[in-house]
């Protein structure tokens, strides 16, 4: 099982009373991500992440998924600039980190666990284009679902730009 992740959400309209709550701080990216994850959970989305010998890491949307979304901006930037990156999945019970190193058209991804769970294998390889597509789809889906739920978060940068990257000129 190669390292992978994706958001799944019911098709059609989505409604969330959380999406209508006024935002406390539109300049605080981590706060917006956490609120966005609460909204996605409220509308019935799920988050699948797997790899390193485990077909499902058992992530919930409202909290565990935010650990990846919080880091996605710096991860994408670091991967583009120097081919390396790191994500710390710090939520209790998960407690693992992954590092990325670009090697010959692929990312060498290493997993380090801080719990009794041990990755097997501890190193996997994912094609660079596939990893970049997964990250792009993750941010696009996150933004689109928030827009469908009529959340103000979908209008705030950088979340708004995650949709614009897919708009036709």
């Amino acid at each position: 099982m190669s390292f992978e992740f994706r958001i799944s959400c019911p098709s059609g309209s989505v409604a969330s009373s959380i999406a209508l709550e006024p935002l406390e701080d539109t300049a605080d990216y981590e706060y917006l991500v956490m609120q966005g994850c609460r909204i996605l959970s409220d509308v019935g989305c799920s988050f699948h992440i797997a790899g390193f010998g485990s077909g499902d890491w058992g992530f919930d949307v409202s909290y565990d998924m935010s650990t990846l979304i919080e880091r996605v901006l710096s991860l994408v930037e670091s991967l583009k600039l120097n081919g390396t990156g790191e994500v710390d999945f710090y939520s209790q019970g998960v407690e693992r980190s992954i590092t990325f190193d670009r090697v010959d058209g692929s990312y060498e991804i290493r997993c380090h666990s801080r719990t009794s769970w041990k990755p097997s294998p501890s190193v996997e390889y994912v094609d660079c284009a596939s990893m970049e597509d997964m990250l792009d789809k993750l941010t696009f889906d996150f933004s689109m679902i928030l827009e469908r739920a009529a959340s103000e978060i979908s209008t705030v940068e950088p979340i708004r730009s995650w949709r614009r990257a897919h708009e036709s000129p």
Side-chain angles (χ1 to χ4, degrees):
M1 165 77 33
S2 289
F3 180 69
E4 64 179 9
F5 49 84
R6 69 181 171 279
I7 299 172
S8 300
C9 199
S11 59
S13 64
V14 293
S16 168
S17 58
I18 298 171
L20 304 176
E21 294 175 2
L23 297 175
E24 293 174 17
D25 186 353
T26 59
D28 184 339
Y29 174 73
E30 288 183 10
Y31 162 76
L32 294 172
V33 166
M34 287 186 275
Q35 286 298 102
C37 288
R38 285 183 58 223
I39 293 166
L40 268 63
S41 178
D42 191 46
V43 301
C45 294
S46 61
F47 183 65
H48 176 79
I49 185 168
F52 303 99
S54 178
D56 184 358
W57 288 11
F59 271 38
D60 68 27
V61 173
S62 62
Y63 185 71
D64 296 330
M65 185 177 80
S66 71
T67 61
L68 177 56
I69 303 286
E70 287 171 10
R71 296 285 303 148
V72 78
L73 289 173
S74 59
L75 177 61
V76 168
E77 183 178 334
S78 183
L79 292 176
K80 284 181 181 177
L81 289 176
N82 55 27
T84 64
E86 182 174 5
V87 176
D88 182 19
F89 297 103
Y90 55 79
S91 37
Q92 185 175 1
V94 176
E95 303 167 61
R96 62 193 73 154
S97 60
I98 56 173
T99 58
F100 299 82
D101 286 301
R102 189 172 34 234
V103 178
D104 298 326
S106 293
Y107 287 109
E108 178 184 89
I109 308 170
R110 295 186 177 275
C111 182
H112 173 74
S113 174
R114 297 183 300 277
T115 67
S116 62
W117 175 82
K118 298 298 176 212
S120 179
S122 61
V123 178
E124 293 189 2
Y125 294 86
V126 175
D127 176 77
C128 287
S130 296
M131 179 56 61
E132 291 159 9
D133 287 347
M134 270 193 290
L135 289 164
D136 183 58
K137 182 159 177 37
L138 176 71
T139 56
F140 176 74
D141 289 347
F142 184 79
S143 182
M144 282 300 297
I145 296 162
L146 289 173
E147 182 182 52
R148 286 176 40 213
S151 170
E152 181 184 351
I153 297 169
S154 72
T155 68
V156 177
E157 292 299 341
I159 295 157
R160 181 177 64 171
S161 65
W162 294 344
R163 283 190 319 281
R164 283 197 318 236
H166 293 265
E167 293 174 353
S168 301

